[in-house]
């Protein structure tokens, strides 16, 4: 899920004309944010006894 979001976001950034270095920086920040949310959600589900 995260990878698909990043690919779409990268295409959007390319369309906007952002340089590769700037895209990489923004995509890295987004990946960290998304993975943090996904891992926190999976951890909460485990605490509740539900499957991720």
């Amino acid at each position: 899920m995260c990878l698909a979001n990043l690919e779409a976001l990268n295409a959007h950034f390319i369309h906007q004309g952002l340089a590769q270095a700037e895209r990489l920086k923004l995509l890295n920040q987004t990946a960290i944010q998304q993975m943090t949310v996904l891992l926190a959600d999976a951890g909460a589900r485990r605490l509740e006894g539900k499957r991720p």
Side-chain angles (χ1 to χ4, degrees):
M1 179 177 4
C2 186
L3 182 57
N5 289 342
L6 293 173
E7 289 173 341
L9 193 54
N10 189 46
H12 177 72
F13 291 156
I14 290 170
H15 183 70
Q16 287 184 325
L18 290 178
Q20 182 181 9
E22 184 66 17
R23 292 195 323 263
L24 180 60
K25 178 182 163 189
L26 293 170
L27 291 168
N28 188 44
Q29 291 172 350
T30 303
I32 291 168
Q33 291 171 347
Q34 289 188 6
M35 291 305 296
T36 300
V37 169
L38 289 171
L39 292 173
D41 185 53
R45 287 183 186 188
R46 276 195 297 270
L47 288 174
E48 295 172 354
K50 298 177 182 174
R51 297 187 119 187

